Amino acid sequence: MIEINQILILGIFLFLWGMATLVLLKSSPRALFGLFILLAGAVLLLGGVIFSRAPVVPVAELFFNASVILLAGLAGILVLSFPAYDEEDSLLSLFDQKLSQTSFANLGQLLEFLRLVIKKTEEAGFRQQILLMFFLVVLLLLIKLT
Amino acid sequence: MALWLILTGSLFGLASPEFLNKNFAWDSLTLFFSLVILTSTFFACLLGYSYSFPSGVSYRRFLLLVFSISSLLLFLAGTQNLLYFLVLWTLVGLLFFLLLHEFDARQAWNYLVLDLVSSLILLCGVAFLYGITGALNLTEIKVNLVVDFFTRGVPGKILPVSLDLISIGLVFKLGLFPFYFWLGSFHKAGNLLLYSIFSLLIRPGLLAFAMRFWLKSVLIYQEDWQHILFIGAAISTLWGGLALLLWRKENRGWLYLDLIQIGLLASAIAAGTFAGLAGGLFFLWGYLFGFWGLVFIFTLFRKGDFDFNSVACSIKSDKLIFVAFILLVSSMVGLPLTAGFWGKHNLFKALLDGGRGGLVLAGLGATLLVALYFIPIFKISFSAKPSSPAINSSRTLKAGLLVSFLASLLVGLFPDLILKLVLDAAAAIPF
């Protein structure tokens, strides 16, 4: 059974991150990102609360595990949307097309997008690396403690 | 030079001061890693001799920094105290920062900050572990954990947290998946000298301490830290192989090949057995000579990266280099009668005997992916017509290549040459 305070800490962490993205706003796509991150943080909090309060049922576990995977997926977005990360911010150019219109025509485009994300992460500065490190530390500790 | 001679002399039985005996292990494992460190130092000096340093950086200053780093690493390889490790590693990190700073200030600060942050995470874990056991010496930690288990029972969640934090700190510094991304900055700089010093000189020293910590001190609670190594080892090998193929055109060969090698070494530690450790130590020799040889080859062709595609087109211009290239690449793939083959054979056999089939599958998968990556390169190199590219005519580079080529060839043909050394080193850990 997970501890509710662990989920609260994680949820608050995400909220603060989303708020920082909104506060240090550089463009409207970042605003959408910030809102998306806040929403995702709320989803995680809700998932954690439901799992901790409900009887141990497969659906609740599945919901929580899906939340953890969602959190992992957020990591890449959060690293790239960090307010100070504006060095060849290719991701923004993709989302400048409006989120609702963003799509991948084929698998090749999706792979190309992933390639770009991984390349940017590998060449990112120490701020992004530290953020990624802390996120992964929290994730690994959560896996172990829960 | 005198200091270096004294340090190397201490490897062969000079009496060590009494206060060091408890916190430094002068055993076969220390001797093994000392030989690895000294070999890498020798190769680094050869490489640096022909290197075009930036203005204001002299070869003497480079030697001073490299020798200082290697002498600290010689102590690090034998230390069995967490606090001593942190102090020594911080000093190594600062010296490497100074070396990096001579070439690229931004990259140097990048490295320093990341290293200090990872050391901070490690320090948190050490503090928790000290709080639980009351000891910093690896042997005392193990004894206290065993005594506490029988007197007070299974410790609470703080022990897994401490072991996880220490393991994450070590894994970050080693550059295992998912903490390898920061190594991409070395690739971006396109500097083989600095990357080889970090990967082939500094990292083995860290590996020596990591082996002692995981296998000597906290093996009794392996379920608390092994999952980190399992994940890191398996995904490092598979991800490295996959990335090599998917992003062939990016020419990031050394980043992903290096990731595969460190993943395989981590597999050896994750196995937690004598045979696994012996297999890993044998593999380390093949990795060391193979990579140094390739570094010399690419430096001879004035490349800042493992640009296999472009080198393959002009490799036939020099027969020695061509033969060495074929052998070293074959060793990396793991083709029979090469050092890499015996290294992987011993490692996979030990993992299989230890019931770690998943790691064997990951290693075999990575080997297949590396083979698929090199097949077109072999085709190009064999079919290309001899040309006259601009090769660095440095004798020191060729000497380094010759030494690494011969060492790799000898270990491949006569693996028993280093078998006793490897087995004695593995026996230093009381499983």
Side-chain angles (χ1 to χ4, degrees):
Chain A
M1 185 68 73
I2 56 169
E3 299 291 336
I4 190 62
N5 54 357
Q6 293 165 353
I7 294 297
L8 279 176
I9 290 168
L10 197 60
I12 291 168
F13 173 69
L14 279 176
F15 265 109
L16 288 174
W17 204 318
M19 282 174 63
T21 309
L22 287 172
V23 165
L24 295 171
L25 203 58
K26 290 207 172 184
S27 59
S28 57
R30 288 199 191 279
L32 290 172
F33 266 122
L35 288 171
F36 178 64
I37 291 161
L38 283 174
L39 182 63
V43 166
L44 271 173
L45 271 173
L46 188 62
V49 169
I50 289 173
F51 181 62
S52 65
R53 297 278 181 181
V56 180
V57 293
V59 173
E61 278 192 43
L62 187 66
F63 186 78
F64 181 70
N65 290 335
S67 303
V68 173
I69 292 169
L70 170 67
L71 184 62
L74 275 176
I77 300 171
L78 289 174
V79 167
L80 291 172
S81 69
F82 188 72
Y85 184 76
D86 52 6
E87 188 181 324
E88 292 180 284
D89 203 340
S90 312
L91 191 62
L92 265 190
S93 62
L94 182 66
F95 287 97
D96 273 342
Q97 299 166 18
K98 293 185 182 176
L99 282 174
S100 59
Q101 292 175 2
T102 301
S103 63
F104 299 109
N106 51 43
L107 186 62
Q109 270 197 5
L110 177 62
L111 283 178
E112 181 60 25
F113 174 73
L114 287 175
R115 183 197 67 82
L116 190 62
V117 168
I118 289 168
K119 186 182 174 187
K120 290 298 179 190
T121 309
E122 286 174 356
E123 295 174 357
F126 66 84
R127 284 174 293 194
Q128 289 78 27
Q129 300 289 353
I130 289 171
L131 289 170
L132 184 61
M133 185 204 319
F134 276 125
F135 165 71
L136 291 168
V137 167
V138 167
L139 195 63
L140 284 168
L141 287 177
L142 273 180
I143 290 171
K144 188 62 196 168
L145 293 175
T146 57
Chain B
M1 193 65 188
L3 180 62
W4 197 39
L5 284 170
I6 291 169
L7 284 169
T8 52
S10 71
L11 298 173
F12 298 99
L14 288 179
S16 52
E18 188 59 40
F19 75 93
L20 289 176
N21 280 345
K22 195 179 169 189
N23 294 304
F24 288 93
W26 306 103
D27 54 18
S28 304
L29 190 65
T30 306
L31 176 65
F32 178 90
F33 275 100
S34 297
L35 289 173
V36 168
I37 290 164
L38 290 172
T39 305
S40 284
T41 307
F42 167 68
F43 283 139
C45 294
L46 286 180
L47 187 65
Y49 187 79
S50 305
Y51 199 82
S52 304
F53 291 106
S55 58
V57 184
S58 66
Y59 183 56
R60 276 188 186 177
R61 187 185 292 186
F62 168 78
L63 280 183
L64 173 66
L65 287 169
V66 167
F67 280 140
S68 305
I69 289 172
S70 67
S71 47
L72 287 170
L73 288 171
L74 288 173
F75 279 108
L76 194 77
T79 190
Q80 45 181 16
N81 183 297
L82 286 166
L83 186 62
Y84 286 29
F85 162 74
L86 280 168
V87 169
L88 287 170
W89 180 259
T90 305
L91 290 172
V92 168
L94 284 172
L95 287 171
F96 188 57
F97 160 76
L98 290 174
L99 181 62
L100 277 176
H101 201 269
E102 302 290 351
F103 294 86
D104 186 340
R106 190 173 177 178
Q107 188 189 12
W109 281 108
N110 208 51
Y111 167 79
L112 184 68
V113 170
L114 287 172
D115 190 55
L116 289 178
V117 170
S118 63
S119 293
L120 190 66
I121 292 174
L122 203 145
L123 183 62
C124 288
V126 169
F128 287 145
L129 192 59
Y130 180 70
I132 297 167
T133 61
L136 291 169
N137 180 281
L138 299 184
T139 309
E140 287 176 8
I141 287 172
K142 181 181 177 180
V143 167
N144 291 355
L145 284 174
V146 171
V147 168
D148 282 349
F149 176 80
F150 285 108
T151 53
R152 296 183 213 172
V154 179
K157 287 197 173 179
I158 199 67
L159 179 64
V161 170
S162 70
L163 294 180
D164 276 359
L165 287 173
I166 295 173
S167 298
I168 288 169
L170 290 172
V171 162
F172 184 90
K173 292 174 189 301
L174 285 170
L176 269 174
F177 191 94
F179 299 107
Y180 85 96
F181 291 98
W182 63 277
L183 290 172
S185 62
F186 283 97
H187 169 270
K188 194 179 176 184
N191 193 325
L192 272 175
L193 177 67
L194 296 175
Y195 194 77
S196 54
I197 287 174
F198 172 78
S199 183
L200 303 171
L201 173 61
I202 294 177
R203 207 158 54 175
L206 175 62
L207 205 61
F209 176 80
M211 282 179 178
R212 280 188 207 281
F213 173 73
W214 280 317
L215 300 179
K216 188 174 181 178
S217 183
V218 293
L219 190 60
I220 51 171
Y221 284 108
Q222 55 184 294
E223 66 275 2
D224 290 333
W225 54 265
Q226 237 176 8
H227 62 286
I228 294 175
L229 274 187
F230 276 140
I231 293 170
I235 303 183
S236 290
T237 48
L238 285 173
W239 173 246
L242 209 59
L244 262 183
L245 282 178
L246 287 177
W247 297 309
R248 179 190 289 272
K249 292 178 186 174
E250 298 284 340
N251 285 329
R252 299 156 86 80
W254 93 41
L255 179 64
Y256 298 123
L257 283 170
D258 198 45
L259 187 61
I260 295 170
Q261 312 307 313
I262 194 66
L264 289 170
L265 284 170
S267 302
I269 304 174
T273 61
F274 169 80
L277 180 61
L281 293 176
F282 194 105
F283 177 79
L284 179 60
W285 274 107
Y287 161 43
L288 188 80
F289 287 116
F291 258 65
W292 271 118
L294 286 174
V295 166
F296 283 120
I297 286 177
F298 285 99
T299 310
L300 279 166
F301 280 90
R302 305 181 195 278
K303 301 290 179 188
D305 192 347
F306 278 7
D307 189 357
F308 288 100
N309 289 313
S310 71
V311 163
C313 296
S314 46
I315 196 81
K316 272 186 171 176
S317 56
D318 189 308
K319 286 182 182 173
L320 168 66
I321 298 175
F322 176 64
V323 170
F325 178 77
I326 296 298
L327 176 79
L328 293 169
V329 168
S330 302
S331 178
M332 191 165 310
V333 174
L335 295 179
L337 297 180
T338 59
F341 169 77
W342 291 114
K344 286 183 178 175
H345 171 266
N346 291 339
L347 179 59
F348 292 157
K349 187 172 179 304
L351 289 174
L352 213 55
D353 291 342
R356 308 296 183 194
L359 291 174
V360 175
L361 280 176
L364 287 173
T367 304
L368 179 65
L369 291 168
V370 170
L372 288 173
Y373 174 76
F374 279 113
I375 285 172
I377 292 169
F378 275 139
K379 279 183 186 173
I380 294 171
S381 59
F382 278 109
S383 61
K385 293 177 184 173
S387 57
S388 304
I391 299 181
N392 191 328
S393 59
S394 166
R395 287 183 183 180
T396 51
L397 290 178
K398 289 186 177 179
L401 173 61
L402 187 64
V403 171
S404 52
F405 163 67
L406 287 175
S408 196
L409 183 67
L410 282 172
V411 172
L413 293 176
F414 309 105
D416 291 343
L417 279 175
I418 62 165
L419 197 58
K420 186 176 183 316
L421 182 70
V422 161
L423 291 174
D424 285 346
I429 302 290
F431 284 99

